[in-house]
Amino acid sequence: MQLSARTRWASRTQFFASGFIFATWGVHIPTVKAQYAISEAELGLAMLAAGVGALLGLTQASRWIGRYGARTTARSCGAIYALLLAGLLVMPGYTALLGVLAAFGVVTSVFDVAINTEAAELELRNGRPLMSGMHGMFSLGGMAGAVTGSAVLAAGMAPQLHLTLVASAMASAIVFAAQRMLPREVTAFAVNNEGFRLPRGALVILGVLAALGLIAEGAIYDWSVLYLKQELGSPQQQAALAYASFSAAMAATRFCGDAMRARLAPAVLLRGSALLAAASMTLVLLTEAPRLALVGFAGVGVGFANVVPILFAASARVPGIEPARGIAAVSAAAYLGFMAGPPVIGFLAEASSLTAALYVVVVFAIGLAASARWADPA
């Protein structure tokens, strides 16, 4: 079935908005830390609250999508996800911040499942790969959000005004784009009411690898800005470019990811990508020059860009497992890893230093390279 361009662009818009919102949160992590006068461990706990909220959302996502459809779920959860940005700096205290971030995690995970369900349906109907491009739009949104955040901070805009403007714009974009999503009654994917399910059997290994990749990726998203500001002494507007360089490189790589996967064996591509990520992150942590660190963050983005597409594709080829079930199981493990990474880094940073804690990214990237053969389980 041929899809209209408006339907495809509606989905791309949702992914772009998700990345933009997430980047805006990443840019203002130092602002939140200063606003509430909290330590790295307390900041890590705040991120863990978002992770716990995301886990709760994952347990309910399939039920909500099954009951209301991907379009309605994406519209409501996406709008709330955007609007919660405006509340990050105006909570009466740290405990209230934890509550807001927990809610942030719930709607983030459900919105993510809804738009990925829509993207998978579009790919099925289109008859050719679309998913890498959709995730490229997330990375592009992340780059745009980080660059915008850097620009407004350099211009002296008040952080609260920036968050409010982004919240309003992204909520409007999500609601508008949702009107062009597929109606619930024509969705071919059966969404069950069993809720969250952990991977089993051969999928466990792929799930662990996906979690390793996303723990490392999540660490970059949430800690790269603070790293440049705190460890290398960069002004916040320059530090925000850490997220931008990482997201821009990841977006560019994802947009050509399908062509790369067509030319290289999965294990070869995963091994090379992971080793590039490890080498680039080592450069970031060893250099004292912020500009060279930005180059390193870009290299990390290139390295991690294809990890999720490779492992998701592998999960669809596990013998005896339906492709949709394999992708869903590995996706759940990957998402848990993505949410677990930031608080793990926070606690390690409190015990040692942020620089030492971020070596977790190097270790996990090397682990991915060493386990690359599992990228072709058939």
Side-chain angles (χ1 to χ4, degrees), residues 147-377:
V147 170
T148 301
S150 176
V152 299
L153 288 170
M157 179 181 288
Q160 182 58 45
L161 176 59
H162 176 226
L163 290 172
T164 302
L165 290 175
V166 171
S168 301
M170 292 300 107
S172 299
I174 288 168
V175 170
F176 178 79
Q179 306 311 309
R180 303 296 183 185
M181 292 173 67
L182 294 172
R184 177 186 176 190
E185 59 269 18
V186 302
T187 301
F189 281 117
V191 182
N192 61 52
N193 291 320
E194 296 178 1
F196 177 71
R197 296 176 64 185
L198 289 171
R200 297 180 180 180
L203 292 175
V204 171
I205 297 174
L206 292 173
V208 169
L209 294 180
L212 289 180
L214 270 293
I215 286 173
E217 185 177 330
I220 299 299
Y221 276 124
D222 279 356
W223 290 100
S224 59
V225 175
L226 187 63
Y227 175 79
L228 249 67
K229 183 175 187 295
Q230 179 174 292
E231 305 295 291
L232 299 188
S234 300
Q236 190 169 346
Q237 60 267 29
Q238 183 187 44
L241 295 178
Y243 189 108
S245 63
F246 174 78
S247 294
M250 179 170 278
T253 306
R254 280 178 168 169
F255 283 130
C256 60
D258 289 328
M260 295 171 68
R261 288 167 51 207
R263 288 170 171 79
L264 296 171
V268 173
L269 182 56
L270 180 59
R271 185 176 296 111
S273 297
L275 289 175
L276 174 61
S280 298
M281 193 65 202
T282 301
L283 171 64
V284 169
L285 297 173
L286 291 180
T287 186
E288 296 181 357
R291 291 184 179 180
L292 191 55
L294 292 176
V295 174
F297 279 123
V300 177
V302 172
F304 282 125
N306 279 310
V307 169
V308 168
I310 290 170
L311 294 175
F312 279 17
S315 69
R317 300 193 305 270
V318 175
I321 302 293
E322 296 177 2
R325 181 183 298 178
I327 292 172
V330 173
S331 176
Y335 200 90
L336 289 175
F338 187 76
M339 300 308 296
V344 167
I345 297 298
F347 291 125
L348 290 175
E350 184 71 12
S352 54
S353 68
L354 183 54
T355 299
L358 284 172
Y359 272 102
V360 166
V361 176
V362 179
V363 172
F364 285 178
I366 293 173
L368 281 169
S371 307
R373 65 186 181 89
W374 292 101
D376 192 3

Side-chain angles (χ1 to χ4, degrees), residues 122-149:
L122 294 179
E123 184 169 276
L124 176 68
R125 290 169 174 271
N126 198 57
R128 61 184 177 85
L130 291 173
M131 187 68 78
S132 291
M134 296 296 181
H135 283 266
M137 290 300 292
F138 175 88
S139 298
L140 186 63
M143 178 195 71
V147 170
T148 301

